[in-house]
Amino acid sequence: MSRDILLQASDVSKSFGAVRVLHEVSFDVYRGEVLGILGPNGAGKTTLFNMISGDIKPSGGDIRLGGVALSAEPPFKRCRMGIGRTYQIPRPYSGMTTFENLLVAAAFGGGRTERESYAFCAQVLTDCELADKANTPSGSLTLLDRKRLELARALASDPRLLLLDEIAGGLTDEESRALVALVRRIRDRGVTIVWIEHVLHALMAVADRLMVLNFGEKIAEGLPQDVISNPEVKRVYMGVEA
Ligand SMILES: Nc1ncnc2c1ncn2[C@@H]1O[C@H](COP(=O)(O)OP(=O)(O)OP(=O)(O)O)[C@@H](O)[C@H]1O
Ligand SMILES: [Mg+2]
């Protein structure tokens, strides 16, 4: 059975000067799935997201959303095309309140009247458990709430592809269960998700497939159980001798 591909990366490479960070990485993201990305620090995971969102340009290769090549599109255009992302280091507009941050993101995403945006952002705030912080300046939120705001901002742009970069780190077990439940609800609404995460149990709880990067190369991809029992993955990622 052929599956419907939303994002297609073909031979994507990136070098910074002489330093090769990603080497000919190819993968597909199927519509409606949660794809988890694992890999040691420095493997090139965030760099991959930066090239999908358009923050940096690949040195080689091709990335397509719904069959449309992204290379010529600037970040705001990719946002409008339906790519939403979080940043590993939260970057809210710190002078604005939580709610104002969402309104800006919603305006970037486009497609809604101002009145619709208000209602939509209020719903996103509730979903992300930030309703009681709506009027708090985002600069004074705790780290956990800034992470929630990252996710909320990405959702407010109404993505069809959501890229999550390490949003579970530092959470308690209960908080991380709530986050997993939220990610499931987002997926169930039809959003396709790619989630980079070191917190393996969170990823295992929701990912349909996993992909593992190491030193800028894809070393495994497939069903979560198969991937984590792959000897090379155990060796490089979990520090276990094969
Ligand atoms: N703008 C840049 N200039 C030079 N080197 C960079 C740049 N961005 C990333 N790198 C390097 O590329 C490599 C991959 O970085 P990247 O942030 O993609 O890793 P990562 O897999 O996300 O790691 P982590 O799990 O720590 O977040 C690292 O060695 C990093 O130092
Ligand atoms: Mg990273």
Side-chain angles (χ1 to χ4, degrees), residues 41-42 44-47 88 165-166 196 198:
N41 295 117
K45 306 179 299 296
T46 296
T47 302
Q88 197 169 347
D165 196 352
E166 294 193 32
I196 295 171
H198 285 296

Side-chain angles (χ1 to χ4, degrees), residues 6-91:
L6 178 59
L7 185 87
Q8 186 165 42
S10 311
D11 292 328
V12 175
S13 297
K14 181 67 191 179
S15 296
F16 293 104
V19 181
R20 192 176 78 182
V21 169
L22 274 176
H23 183 61
E24 295 180 357
V25 172
S26 298
F27 64 99
D28 296 329
V29 182
Y30 301 114
R31 221 176 278 273
E33 78 168 336
V34 178
L35 173 68
I37 300 184
L38 286 169
N41 295 117
K45 306 179 299 296
T46 296
T47 302
L48 191 58
F49 272 13
N50 287 340
M51 291 189 288
I52 299 171
S53 62
D55 291 43
I56 62 173
K57 286 189 192 313
S59 312
D62 180 54
I63 304 175
R64 287 169 183 268
L65 182 76
V68 178
L70 293 176
S71 54
E73 309 296 350
F76 79 90
K77 205 57 190 306
R78 298 187 199 199
C79 176
R80 203 144 274 198
M81 290 167 81
I83 299 176
R85 72 167 293 181
T86 68
Y87 286 89
Q88 197 169 347
I89 298 164
R91 38 164 93 176

Side-chain angles (χ1 to χ4, degrees), residues 95-114:
M96 293 184 189
T97 66
T98 302
F99 194 66
E100 287 164 346
N101 265 278
L102 293 204
L103 288 175
V104 171
F108 263 102
R112 281 195 162 80
T113 64
E114 196 176 324

Side-chain angles (χ1 to χ4, degrees), residues 19-233:
V19 181
R20 192 176 78 182
V21 169
L22 274 176
H23 183 61
E24 295 180 357
V25 172
S26 298
F27 64 99
D28 296 329
V29 182
Y30 301 114
R31 221 176 278 273
E33 78 168 336
V34 178
L35 173 68
I37 300 184
L38 286 169
N41 295 117
K45 306 179 299 296
T46 296
T47 302
L48 191 58
F49 272 13
N50 287 340
M51 291 189 288
I52 299 171
S53 62
D55 291 43
I56 62 173
K57 286 189 192 313
S59 312
D62 180 54
I63 304 175
R64 287 169 183 268
L65 182 76
V68 178
L70 293 176
S71 54
E73 309 296 350
F76 79 90
K77 205 57 190 306
R78 298 187 199 199
C79 176
R80 203 144 274 198
M81 290 167 81
I83 299 176
R85 72 167 293 181
T86 68
Y87 286 89
Q88 197 169 347
I89 298 164
R91 38 164 93 176
Y93 299 108
S94 51
M96 293 184 189
T97 66
T98 302
F99 194 66
E100 287 164 346
N101 265 278
L102 293 204
L103 288 175
V104 171
F108 263 102
R112 281 195 162 80
T113 64
E114 196 176 324
R115 177 189 284 216
E116 287 166 347
S117 281
Y118 268 72
F120 179 59
C121 290
Q123 182 60 52
V124 171
L125 270 188
T126 304
D127 290 344
C128 295
E129 297 176 64
L130 283 170
D132 57 340
K133 316 268 171 33
N135 298 317
T136 306
S138 61
S140 50
L141 293 173
T142 62
L143 177 63
L144 171 61
D145 283 336
R146 272 183 282 145
K147 289 202 167 194
R148 287 182 172 140
L149 178 55
E150 271 302 297
L151 176 56
R153 282 174 12 137
L155 287 174
S157 71
D158 206 8
R160 51 185 169 137
L161 176 67
L162 176 62
L163 309 174
L164 304 175
D165 196 352
E166 294 193 32
I167 54 170
L171 303 190
T172 64
D173 284 353
E174 194 183 337
E175 287 165 350
S176 118
R177 271 196 295 277
L179 182 66
V180 163
L182 174 59
V183 170
R184 274 212 193 94
R185 285 202 299 279
I186 296 165
R187 190 247 325 258
D188 292 346
R189 283 178 209 151
V191 179
T192 303
I193 297 169
V194 184
W195 186 1
I196 295 171
E197 192 55 76
H198 285 296
V199 181
L200 189 58
H201 65 84
L203 220 46
M204 291 302 287
V206 66
D208 297 296
R209 292 188 308 130
L210 293 180
M211 170 167 101
V212 184
L213 295 178
N214 187 40
F215 288 116
E217 302 202 14
K218 182 172 84 175
I219 61 164
E221 183 183 23
L223 295 176
Q225 282 303 338
D226 296 343
V227 167
I228 62 162
S229 51
N230 172 318
E232 197 186 355
V233 172

